[in-house]
Amino acid sequence: MGEAAARATGLDVTVIHHADQEQTSATDTASAAATMADRGVSLILFVGGDGTARDVLSATSDRVPLLGVPAGVKMHSAVFGTTPANAGHLAALFLARHPSARLRDAEVMDLDEDAIRAGRVSAHLHGHARSPYERRLVQNAKAGSVPGETESLDAVARQVAAQMRPDHLYILGPGTTTRRVADALGIPSTLLGVDAVLNGESIGLDLDEQALLRAMEGRETEIIVGVLGGQGSLFGRGNQQISAEVIRRVGRHRIQVISTVQKLIALSTGALQVDTGDPEMDAMLAGHLPVLTGPGRTTLVRVQA
């Protein structure tokens, strides 16, 4: 569980857990984390998503600080760095006892399965972990909807649907915001998946990267995405199917972002975050993007990696 990768970097490692089988499970994660806590480590730096965060927290409670390197599909918890590089930077600051890296109680969240079945994206709080914090380097927990924003989002969705051009492919990112666009078109959609629309009709639901690239062949394509509340994530959190290669072929100028003003005001860093896994793509997306906040209203918002 990380031994080979750690040795490849030249680190001197001690193996503290041996899995019973080749394919490791949550039990192995929890056992390794508990052993680390028992040995009095200064920090557990783990790689994964919300499920891994839950497993590590369940085994360690508040005995040792936790910090996550974002590498999962779902990352709604506040224990993750905004990017893998920022997680590493924050770990270094914390271990060097730099005054800017203090500890906070960070929410460990995971998606509420009952809410998903009811057609809502809602994150459930599983507990709090002591976690290093520096405002620019870590994300906040996913925030819920703000009362009163429904009508504004519905109006924007109707506008976006009405302005879709014939024979253009539209990639709809996951979430309730983009689902409103599908609802305005009267077509099915997947709440947590990435869908494709052509001439007002769905031509693919819950598509992966390769399926998106195939659908894009020979077609002008646009991407429509929402903003992850509380974190301000644009790409790299929950929509990894819209990969750097997909974005590269679409082009920055054909990305439509939908959000409420309230959600933008609540951004802790005042900027949207991108973490596509491709530094060149992240740099290309950085700058300012127009965000649709109401019918006929756009706001220029800074984007940072």
Side-chain angles (χ1 to χ4, degrees):
M1 297 178 67
E3 177 191 0
R7 291 192 187 281
T9 68
L11 292 174
D12 182 19
V13 304
T14 301
V15 179
I16 60 172
H17 174 77
H18 293 275
D20 293 332
Q21 48 193 356
E22 185 175 345
Q23 185 66 40
T24 57
S25 67
T27 301
D28 294 298
T29 300
S31 177
T35 302
M36 291 177 184
D38 291 342
R39 294 196 176 196
V41 299
S42 301
L43 173 71
I44 293 181
L45 183 66
F46 66 91
V47 181
D50 287 327
T52 306
R54 286 179 58 183
D55 296 337
V56 174
L57 178 63
S58 69
T60 61
S61 186
D62 61 354
R63 291 188 293 161
V64 58
L66 310 179
L67 179 60
V69 178
V73 175
K74 301 174 298 177
M75 287 165 287
H76 300 310
S77 302
V79 294
F80 292 101
T82 54
T83 66
N86 283 345
H89 183 40
L90 179 56
L93 289 174
F94 175 72
L95 294 173
R97 299 186 178 182
H98 194 281
S100 67
R102 58 185 177 84
L103 284 174
R104 68 168 177 176
D105 289 330
E107 301 96 329
V108 173
M109 318 281 288
D110 205 353
L111 289 181
D112 186 329
E113 300 295 338
D114 291 333
I116 293 172
R117 284 188 284 271
R120 295 180 290 108
V121 177
S122 177
H124 177 72
L125 177 65
H126 287 278
H128 291 82
R130 290 194 302 145
S131 186
Y133 174 77
E134 202 283 337
R135 185 175 65 88
R136 300 165 300 166
L137 302 177
V138 295
Q139 66 183 34
N140 288 324
K142 184 186 186 302
S145 299
V146 177
E149 68 180 11
T150 299
E151 295 78 8
S152 176
L153 287 174
D154 284 340
V156 174
R158 289 193 295 269
Q159 174 183 306
V160 170
Q163 293 178 347
M164 286 183 168
R165 292 181 285 180
D167 299 323
H168 279 231
L169 181 73
Y170 290 86
I171 296 173
L172 300 184
T176 55
T177 299
T178 47
R179 166 170 271 194
R180 296 174 191 276
V181 177
D183 289 345
L185 292 168
I187 60 175
S189 62
T190 51
L191 188 59
L192 300 181
V194 175
D195 306 330
V197 176
L198 180 69
N199 293 325
E201 299 292 336
S202 171
I203 66 165
L205 297 174
D206 198 13
L207 303 178
D208 60 16
E209 178 196 23
Q210 292 305 312
L212 289 173
L213 292 172
R214 288 194 297 270
M216 292 167 59
E217 290 179 3
R219 295 185 174 118
E220 297 287 336
T221 304
E222 298 188 34
I223 297 171
I224 301 173
V225 290
V227 174
L228 194 61
Q231 301 176 4
S233 178
L234 194 59
F235 293 110
R237 296 291 184 277
N239 60 3
Q240 289 93 329
Q241 307 94 314
I242 307 176
S243 65
E245 183 59 28
V246 170
I247 299 170
R248 185 176 293 109
R249 295 190 189 187
V250 171
R252 190 180 193 274
H253 63 293
R254 289 180 177 159
I255 297 172
Q256 295 188 55
V257 184
I258 303 173
S259 177
T260 59
V261 172
Q262 296 95 322
K263 192 176 286 188
L264 297 178
I265 291 173
L267 295 175
S268 61
T269 63
L272 300 176
Q273 306 289 328
V274 291
D275 179 21
T276 66
D278 183 329
E280 288 187 8
M281 177 53 59
D282 291 345
M284 186 272 280
L285 290 169
H288 287 79
L289 277 176
V291 178
L292 284 167
T293 57
R297 297 198 305 270
T298 60
T299 300
L300 278 179
V301 181
R302 183 165 58 91
V303 178
Q304 66 182 20

